[in-house]
Amino acid sequence: MRLPRTDRGRLLAAAALVTAVACFTATVPLLRDWFDLRVYYGTVDSWFHHGGRIYDYRVPGTTYGFTYPPFAAVGMAPMALVGLRTAIVAALLLNLVALAAVLRLLAGPRWRRYGWFRWVTALCLLALFEPLRDTFSFGQVNLVLLALVLADARLLATGRGRWAGVGIGLAAAIKLTPALFIGLLLVARRWKAAGVASAVALAATGLAAWVAPQASRFYWTRALWDTGRVGRLDYVSNQSLQGVLARLGEPGRPVWATAVLLVLCVWAVRSRRAVAAGDWTAAFALTGLTACLVSPITWVHHLVWLLPSFAVLIRTGHRRIAGALYALQCSSVVWLWFDDASGIDGFLGGNTYTWITLGLLCRLPAGQPLPGRPLLSRRASATAAAPRPAAATIAAVSPQPGPSSATAAAATGRAAGRGRGRARSASSEPTGSTRPAAAKPQSSSSRASSYTASPPPA
């Protein structure tokens, strides 16, 4: 498909695309009614205004309450000062800022080259991405955590690692899943950054223990180990390895632990190779994929951690693969097996997002030279070859007169012309640094939600 070439054409195309996406999101996907945000808000409101305990609160009519570490509740405490509607607006704006930061970090220093039309198109495509639209609709925090983690990736990639680890430490204190990125720093032997991340996470956890000692004791000794507080393991929205095994009727921990160990081995080898090649984006993408797989519960909206993987695919020229996988994750396909995920079709289709995550972990381009390096090498060699005729010219200028001198000079001039032609041809060849990158759930509130008001019996 050709992109419009005139400003008017781009403006009309952008308006049509925005209108289509707005109509789709307003009518087709089921809005989650800020369910997770209501959990956060109700928890801090009960804690500050009614003397309640953080982990005792339940959303009226459900069995769901606060499941994050105590530091997350401390960080969300300002919501107690405002009403629910204000909190919803603030959460929406915070997620928009976090999304802008994520896109800016993934696009890199060349983000201005893409132009406004490409950015509008990208935002419209992102609006169709089920994990992302669920993150906004639930009022989730995963985009904020992703932005914190990717900020550290940028610091490490640019050699400004003095503060690297702060974002990872804060993210790990808010939610346990990003703690795997500390493991990445250890695998990469970035001891200072790993120490900073660990120190920040421990300091934040210590602050929460000082503010809410009883809640901290309860979380780290009891709530952390009770996955039933989060939801059913076999619920179709759980797209982790544990979810696959639970839907197969295999809740045993030895099988799950073995699968987790194998995944961690693959992750360690591939992420270390990516770091050795200086590809921190790929290393962080692999770690996000692994975190989604090994976590006991990975709801569909947690899969925003796959966004860096799509950025890596696009950057390395695998746009068609990225588009196909992205389209699958826009389709809400797993909900077709909401009622029954048994059988071969349920095993394959009901775990589609898990297979995508696992496939990306195994096949994501990582540990390879970044795009443009071979071309840059050819350009350098061609440029270096150009001075050779000059040396021949100097050698040809001798004190001995004769027709041979003129003949040698003419030959030298022809060689120099060919050398300059080769140099111009090589330098005009595009490189990776200049080539631009490509740029309801249905009708029932219980059918396509990561939570249900009346969960089916376990």
Side-chain angles (χ1 to χ4, degrees):
M1 187 178 81
R2 292 183 179 180
L3 296 178
R5 296 183 178 181
T6 64
D7 289 339
R8 181 181 180 183
R10 285 190 289 266
L11 185 61
L12 292 175
L17 188 59
V18 169
T19 302
V21 171
C23 291
F24 172 81
T25 54
T27 57
V28 180
L30 178 71
L31 298 179
R32 315 304 190 178
D33 198 26
W34 317 101
F35 186 91
D36 287 7
L37 184 63
R38 291 177 186 274
V39 174
Y40 310 152
Y41 182 85
T43 297
V44 297
D45 182 70
S46 173
W47 180 26
F48 277 85
H49 298 303
H50 305 288
R53 294 185 295 184
I54 292 175
Y55 297 102
D56 285 347
Y57 175 80
R58 296 290 185 274
V59 175
T62 76
T63 61
Y64 296 105
F66 200 75
T67 58
Y68 294 166
F71 179 71
V74 173
M76 296 173 184
M79 283 195 294
L81 304 176
V82 299
L84 177 59
R85 291 185 179 180
T86 304
I88 290 174
V89 173
L92 179 61
L93 294 176
L94 181 61
N95 272 328
L96 286 172
V97 171
L99 177 59
V102 167
L103 294 177
R104 172 68 176 83
L105 291 167
L106 290 177
R110 295 169 293 171
W111 66 277
R112 289 188 179 88
R113 300 183 183 180
Y114 300 132
W116 69 267
F117 181 73
R118 289 182 182 271
W119 280 112
V120 170
T121 303
L123 290 174
C124 289
L125 292 176
L126 286 171
L128 303 177
F129 189 50
E130 183 180 5
L132 191 63
R133 67 180 188 241
D134 275 3
T135 291
F136 275 87
S137 189
F138 273 123
Q140 260 281 346
V141 298
N142 292 299
L143 270 178
V144 176
L145 304 183
L146 180 58
L148 288 172
V149 167
L150 288 180
D152 278 347
R154 173 54 57 87
L155 291 176
L156 292 167
T158 55
R160 296 175 294 178
R162 180 179 181 183
W163 297 103
V166 174
I168 292 175
L170 287 174
I174 295 172
K175 195 172 182 178
L176 295 180
T177 305
L180 186 61
F181 288 91
I182 299 179
L184 172 63
L185 298 176
L186 294 175
V187 168
R189 298 182 180 180
R190 294 301 180 101
W191 312 119
K192 181 180 178 181
V196 170
S198 301
V200 170
L202 290 174
T205 302
L207 173 64
W210 177 69
V211 174
Q214 292 183 351
S216 296
R217 189 182 307 112
F218 177 80
Y219 178 81
W220 295 109
T221 59
R222 294 180 58 185
L224 173 62
W225 315 104
D226 183 10
T227 57
R229 291 178 56 88
V230 184
R232 278 178 34 184
L233 291 176
D234 63 346
Y235 188 50
V236 73
S237 183
N238 183 15
Q239 292 290 308
S240 68
L241 293 175
Q242 181 77 294
V244 174
L245 294 173
R247 284 186 286 277
L248 286 174
E250 179 55 62
R253 291 194 174 184
V255 177
W256 174 68
T258 303
V260 166
L261 182 61
L262 290 174
V263 166
L264 288 176
C265 289
V266 173
W267 160 74
V269 172
R270 303 210 70 221
S271 59
R272 186 167 183 176
R273 188 177 302 163
V275 170
D279 193 352
W280 281 99
T281 302
F284 272 68
L286 290 169
T287 306
L289 295 168
T290 304
C292 291
L293 289 169
V294 304
S295 175
I297 291 183
T298 298
W299 300 134
V300 168
H301 56 265
H302 294 166
L303 296 177
V304 293
W305 290 98
L306 271 63
L307 286 176
S309 300
F310 291 113
V312 172
L313 287 174
I314 294 172
R315 184 199 66 192
T316 53
H318 298 82
R319 292 179 175 85
R320 292 184 179 180
I321 296 176
L325 298 180
Y326 192 86
L328 280 174
Q329 290 200 295
C330 294
S331 66
S332 301
V333 63
V334 297
W335 298 107
L336 296 175
W337 289 270
F338 171 79
D339 294 319
D340 183 9
S342 61
I344 296 297
D345 62 325
F347 176 71
L348 296 176
N351 301 309
T352 299
Y353 297 167
T354 307
W355 307 141
I356 291 175
T357 308
L358 191 59
L360 286 172
L361 174 65
C362 296
R363 301 297 298 171
L364 186 73
Q368 302 174 2
L370 296 179
R373 287 185 180 178
L375 296 175
L376 288 174
S377 299
R378 287 197 298 270
R379 183 176 65 179
S381 62
T383 306
R388 291 180 184 175
T393 302
I394 296 174
V397 179
S398 65
Q400 298 177 354
S404 60
S405 299
T407 303
T412 300
R414 288 193 297 270
R418 287 194 298 269
R420 286 191 296 269
R422 285 194 300 268
R424 285 193 298 268
S425 176
S427 62
S428 63
E429 185 177 0
T431 66
S433 61
T434 58
R435 187 183 296 112
K440 300 164 183 166
Q442 292 82 359
S443 58
S444 168
S445 61
S446 64
R447 182 169 189 267
S449 171
S450 296
Y451 310 96
T452 56
S454 300

